[in-house]
Amino acid sequence: MKLDTRVMRYLTGEDWRVLTAVEMGSKNHENVPTPLIEKLSRLKGGASGVHKSISALAKAGLIAKLKDAKYDGYRLTYGGLDYLALHTHSARKEVYSVGSRVGVGKESDIVIVADETGTQRILKIHRLGRISFRTVKSNRDYLKNRAGGSWMYLSRLAAMKEYAFMVALKEEGFPVPDPISQSRHTIVMSLVDAPPLRQIYNVQEPASLYAELIALILRLARHGLIHGDFNEFNILIKEDKVTTYPTTATATITRPDADDAAETSSTTPSKTSQIPTSDDNDSQQQPQTDIILTPVLIDFPQMVSMDHQNAEFYFDRDVACIKRFFQKRFHFTATQPGPFYKDAKRSVGRDGFKRLDASVEASGFTKKMAKDLEKAILEQQQAAAAKKADKGDFGDDAESDLDAQSDDEEDDDGDDDDDENDDGEDQELQEEQNLADI
Ligand code: ADP
Ligand code: MG
């Protein structure tokens, strides 16, 4: 589902009112009756103005008619919700222009945007339900039968939760992007000009980087938190060039090959030029570039409390994920076993560490919301697993869990295959669109 802002500049003030009316009506109606849209939009021109806007919005794919609807009405589409969110970020002066999509995750689209000064930022659009809607019929039905617009509700919850955690973590000095703005199912955050750990092929001292990542897991635990998806895709590695110090964790980044870097490099050209090539011949002729590595953590919708009933499982999984990656990629195995949940559990809230699980709940992200979101994320993961299993049926080699996961993510990095096929979209980068006229 590509964010296409081309129509945005042609929408009139009336169109925006009608779009907002459909959103308001969606809170209680899956199919918002046309008379209700008329009533909620309170246009001066009356019904005919509303109808004009309705057809403009429908033509742009921002609202749509439900199949088999029993009465005349419309529902908001993802595109419509995207527009409303962008409109809000733009009104707050946090987003001025929209660039290209840099990533398609299972549950999100990642888009480069810029503020009025041209500073690039990241817009993360949550798309909970994307996989489950398409692949698992029972999920589709389950979501469809719930109160109107559940995908909207769940995607909004994911954005709210992620934003709340980003704010809380930032306040405690954790290395996370700067949270800038949240609206509906989207958040705007600072752009971290750094590749994910997955693109790091060569680390001079894997032990240091490993220790730093484990320390991060333990630091989160002291604040009562488990990341829940602590893997090589959700850890960006910032590289700062320095004179070589033998005890510093350093890395030579193999320049990502075209497939790997295609999307990020196209939008952050400065990054590519900063990544040194580690061609063996090169390194003999010129000194290797040594850089300090600083991990930056992203992707927080699945964070759980250290008090969660499955906390031990999630904690162990995060630790195992890093261990497995370091073993596989760097052939590094820690001499020490663990860290173990029971030890981390004892450290929660000790020495004045603020419990962030509690403070996020206090910020308005209620237990009920957490539960709804958790359920949806679990379903999403099951749907993804089912999709993976389906792929396996078609003769793929048996893969380990990690391979399978990486494989799956590789698809996502390339682009969302299903999505592209379903929507007939091309992969061309969008032209930058200014939102100023909107
Ligand atoms: P998902 O929930 O779909 O996994 P993520 O938040 O992990 O979404 O983002 C997907 C990818 O987008 C990341 O692996 C990273 O490459 C890129 N990305 C996300 N946020 C940022 C950011 N603030 N700065 C730079 N790149 C980012
Ligand atoms: Mg991620």
Side-chain angles (χ1 to χ4, degrees):
M1 167 76 227
K2 192 154 77 176
L3 175 65
D4 184 348
T5 52
R6 274 170 298 192
V7 184
M8 224 162 176
R9 64 181 69 239
Y10 304 117
L11 294 187
T12 64
E14 282 82 29
D15 297 342
W16 282 109
R17 283 185 82 110
V18 173
L19 190 58
T20 308
V22 178
E23 183 189 33
M24 283 161 70
S26 301
K27 295 200 174 102
N28 296 313
H29 300 266
E30 196 189 355
N31 186 32
V32 189
T34 308
L36 183 62
I37 301 175
E38 283 166 19
K39 202 171 139 212
L40 290 171
S41 50
R42 285 184 295 155
L43 287 193
K44 284 199 196 89
S48 77
V50 174
H51 286 211
K52 208 173 137 210
S53 289
I54 283 181
S55 41
L57 295 171
K59 203 170 151 221
L62 306 180
I63 60 173
K65 266 197 183 298
L66 269 186
K67 272 184 207 138
D68 311 324
K70 296 192 179 67
Y71 54 88
D72 191 39
Y74 291 85
R75 67 176 175 88
L76 196 64
T77 63
Y78 254 130
L81 196 63
D82 292 354
Y83 268 40
L84 287 165
L86 262 182
H87 199 50
T88 299
H89 292 306
S90 164
R92 290 178 189 159
K93 304 229 176 296
E94 301 298 2
V95 175
Y96 176 74
S97 62
V98 176
S100 49
R101 183 169 62 169
V102 286
V104 182
K106 283 192 205 55
E107 290 119 31
S108 74
D109 285 335
I110 306 290
V111 180
I112 298 255
V113 295
D115 68 6
E116 277 171 334
T117 68
T119 305
Q120 290 191 326
R121 294 170 163 180
I122 288 285
L123 171 74
K124 179 168 178 180
I125 309 175
H126 286 270
R127 306 229 186 263
L128 219 62
R130 166 151 63 194
I131 291 186
S132 48
F133 276 3
R134 287 173 185 209
T135 54
V136 180
K137 190 171 178 304
S138 61
N139 274 340
R140 209 156 45 210
D141 292 346
Y142 154 76
L143 285 164
K144 214 166 102 186
N145 292 335
R146 281 171 42 147
S150 69
W151 56 266
M152 247 186 259
Y153 166 67
L154 294 168
S155 298
R156 183 166 64 89
L157 288 191
M160 280 175 70
K161 180 175 172 185
E162 176 148 49
Y163 192 75
F165 273 113
M166 219 183 272
V167 169
L169 290 169
K170 196 78 201 176
E171 269 171 20
E172 289 302 316
F174 274 90
V176 298
D178 298 332
I180 294 169
S181 172
Q182 187 241 321
S183 169
R184 300 170 176 88
H185 60 324
T186 69
I187 54 183
V188 179
M189 63 182 123
S190 61
L191 170 84
V192 181
D193 190 10
L197 176 59
R198 179 193 172 223
Q199 284 181 17
I200 310 280
Y201 285 90
N202 220 324
V203 174
Q204 277 179 12
E205 290 198 43
S208 306
L209 185 59
Y210 171 82
E212 204 163 328
L213 293 173
I214 295 294
L216 209 45
I217 292 179
L218 293 175
R219 187 174 161 204
L220 285 170
R222 277 187 203 111
H223 286 280
L225 296 176
I226 301 168
H227 183 277
D229 203 4
F230 201 86
N231 64 37
E232 64 273 26
F233 302 95
N234 293 331
I235 300 160
L236 306 179
I237 302 290
K238 259 171 65 179
E239 320 132 50
D240 294 307
K241 287 182 189 173
V242 286
T243 7
T244 314
Y245 296 108
T247 51
T248 307
T250 54
T252 307
I253 317 288
T254 308
R255 193 186 178 287
D257 54 31
D259 279 354
D260 231 24
E263 296 195 61
T264 39
S265 62
S266 59
T267 52
T268 51
S270 58
K271 184 170 72 188
T272 329
S273 58
Q274 278 176 10
I275 296 174
T277 53
S278 74
D279 194 80
D280 272 347
N281 296 333
D282 272 3
S283 58
Q284 277 165 17
Q285 282 154 22
Q286 49 186 271
Q288 280 200 337
T289 314
D290 287 336
I291 26 194
I292 291 187
L293 303 181
T294 314
V296 178
L297 208 48
I298 57 165
D299 204 357
F300 311 109
Q302 68 298 310
M303 277 243 188
V304 290
S305 161
M306 282 288 283
D307 291 341
H308 188 280
Q309 54 175 351
N310 298 323
E312 183 159 12
F313 167 81
Y314 289 121
F315 181 89
D316 289 349
R317 192 172 69 178
D318 277 2
V319 170
C321 206
I322 287 306
K323 286 189 177 236
R324 206 164 40 197
F325 180 77
F326 269 70
Q327 172 60 43
K328 209 177 155 182
R329 177 63 59 87
F330 306 124
H331 308 291
F332 168 82
T333 310
T335 46
Q336 300 249 330
F340 298 107
Y341 173 73
K342 65 175 181 343
D343 301 324
K345 178 79 177 162
R346 274 200 292 270
S347 76
V348 175
R350 281 248 187 109
D351 305 325
F353 274 79
K354 187 172 165 192
R355 290 209 56 157
L356 298 181
D357 47 349
S359 66
V360 163
E361 201 183 300
S363 81
F365 195 79
T366 63
K367 278 210 166 75
K368 154 116 178 56
M369 289 173 165
K371 235 171 130 179
D372 285 349
L373 181 62
E374 184 177 348
K375 194 166 174 214
I377 288 177
L378 275 175
E379 276 163 11
Q380 188 99 12
Q381 285 165 354
Q382 283 161 5
K387 191 181 169 195
K388 211 150 64 186
D390 265 6
K391 269 190 191 169
D393 286 348
F394 287 101
D396 281 354
D397 289 337
E399 292 165 310
S400 73
D401 266 6
L402 183 66
D403 287 340
Q405 184 192 346
S406 303
D407 204 40
D408 207 34
E409 296 275 359
E410 263 156 35
D411 278 357
D412 295 340
D413 272 5
D415 221 325
D416 186 333
D417 298 344
D418 288 355
D419 205 28
E420 299 300 327
N421 292 340
D422 285 2
D423 295 340
E425 295 170 346
D426 56 38
Q427 291 187 25
E428 272 172 35
L429 295 178
Q430 251 171 267
E431 260 179 56
E432 189 162 290
Q433 301 282 326
N434 286 339
L435 306 179
D437 315 334
I438 297 159

